[in-house]
């Protein structure tokens, strides 16, 4: 299995936004940048069978931009509370194994610090190592048998600027 | 300190090469690819103050291509046995701290599995995690206080193909 761990793109700042945190949208610039990032992933000729996303608007919008670029159908984009800031990555892994074990190329879209901690856990068995995942950043793991423990290799980790550069 | 960990580019296969392993050169294709990789790093606007390289020909040639692209002087490219396949990465770190503590942007060029093990050690404190460093692959670590232990963050890890793509 190939797992892409993707942090949501640039959203309106919490201080500027009056509403609930779960409803903070991407900025116009954030959407545009995410389109470039998705194009960059397209240029790298990656495949995607399934996107799992946090229900928070900024993540769901990020997932929408990616899904459109990869021409995924509606049922290939799934929302899960385990990717919300309040979710638990071990339960996310359980959900993937229970429901989506057949998918070979999965992207998960959510929030920090959960995502870099998840990447760290799968690569090292320790959730606390230091991997920098910027907004719109992507890392790719190849995984033998998915579990919440050391089970994968880090193939690459690209910043949003690098992905946008590849899209040019 | 910013540390770039770079694996030598594609060399003539050991089976095809009659001489000593330390004298195996880059292939023509390997040299060309490395020029693209160096150009990709240039496009990312990175800085380099110092290159430390394994004395093995394939690494020294890789260092030469990178040094030329970044217009480094001869004394900014240093050979060290600690980066040879028989070297010890803890001694490499000691050498950097003793002799090159002033350098802010250092590249080390050498061999697998030593290099990915070194990256792993600096990010996690464990030399045995799974980071894939292809020939000509580059990772960038930001480091607070360099030591042979957990002291840095992984900012990015790019494959040679991705760097060549950025150079296009």
């Amino acid at each position: 299995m190939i797992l892409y761990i993707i942090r949501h793109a640039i959203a309106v700042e919490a201080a500027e936004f009056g509403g609930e945190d779960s409803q903070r949208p991407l900025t116009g610039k954030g959407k545009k940048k995410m389109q470039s990032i998705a194009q960059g992933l397209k240029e790298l000729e990656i495949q995607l069978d399934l996107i799992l996303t946090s229900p928070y608007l900024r993540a769901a919008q990020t997932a929408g931009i990616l899904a459109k670029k990869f021409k995924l159908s509606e049922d290939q984009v799934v929302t899960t509370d385990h990717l919300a800031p309040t979710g638990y990555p071990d339960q996310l892994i359980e959900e993937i194994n229970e429901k989506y074990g057949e998918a070979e190329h999965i992207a998960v879209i959510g929030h920090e610090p959960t995502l870099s901690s998840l990447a760290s856990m799968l690569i090292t068995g320790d959730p606390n190592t230091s991997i920098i995942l910027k907004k719109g950043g992507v890392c790719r793991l190849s995984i033998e048998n998915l579990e919440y423990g050391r089970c994968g290799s880090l193939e690459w980790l690209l910043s949003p600027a690098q992905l946008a550069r590849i899209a040019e």
Side-chain angles (χ1 to χ4, degrees), chain A residues 138-157:
Chain A
V138 181
C139 70
R140 171 175 156 131
L141 276 57
S142 61
I143 288 172
E144 199 73 33
N145 290 300
L146 184 65
E147 60 169 326
Y148 188 66
R150 185 176 163 182
C151 63
S153 301
L154 180 65
E155 294 195 355
W156 45 258
L157 164 64

Side-chain angles (χ1 to χ4, degrees), chain A residues 3-8 50-60 63 77-93 95-96 100 106-116 118-119 133:
Chain A
L3 185 68
Y4 297 93
I5 297 179
I6 305 177
R7 186 174 174 198
H8 69 77
L50 180 70
I51 298 176
L52 291 164
T53 178
S54 154
Y56 280 40
L57 186 57
R58 55 194 184 274
V77 183
V78 180
T79 295
T80 171
D81 288 339
H82 301 317
L83 275 164
T86 49
Y88 293 97
D90 56 335
Q91 291 176 18
L92 171 72
I93 298 303
E95 184 184 10
I96 293 175
Y100 313 109
I106 300 180
V108 296
I109 299 178
H111 309 267
E112 278 293 81
T114 317
L115 289 187
S116 62
L118 171 63
L133 197 62

Side-chain angles (χ1 to χ4, degrees), chain A residues 61-106:
Chain A
Q61 286 180 327
T62 301
I65 292 166
L66 192 63
K68 195 175 169 192
K69 183 66 75 182
F70 280 82
K71 298 191 168 62
L72 298 194
S73 61
E74 266 182 37
D75 61 357
Q76 288 177 294
V77 183
V78 180
T79 295
T80 171
D81 288 339
H82 301 317
L83 275 164
T86 49
Y88 293 97
D90 56 335
Q91 291 176 18
L92 171 72
I93 298 303
E94 210 171 292
E95 184 184 10
I96 293 175
N97 279 332
E98 277 174 13
K99 295 190 190 165
Y100 313 109
E102 298 298 300
E104 279 181 36
H105 305 88
I106 300 180

Side-chain angles (χ1 to χ4, degrees), chain A residues 116-117 119-121 123-132:
Chain A
S116 62
S117 169
S120 170
M121 184 53 136
I123 303 159
T124 74
D126 173 354
N128 295 314
T129 63
S130 205
I131 293 171
I132 309 286

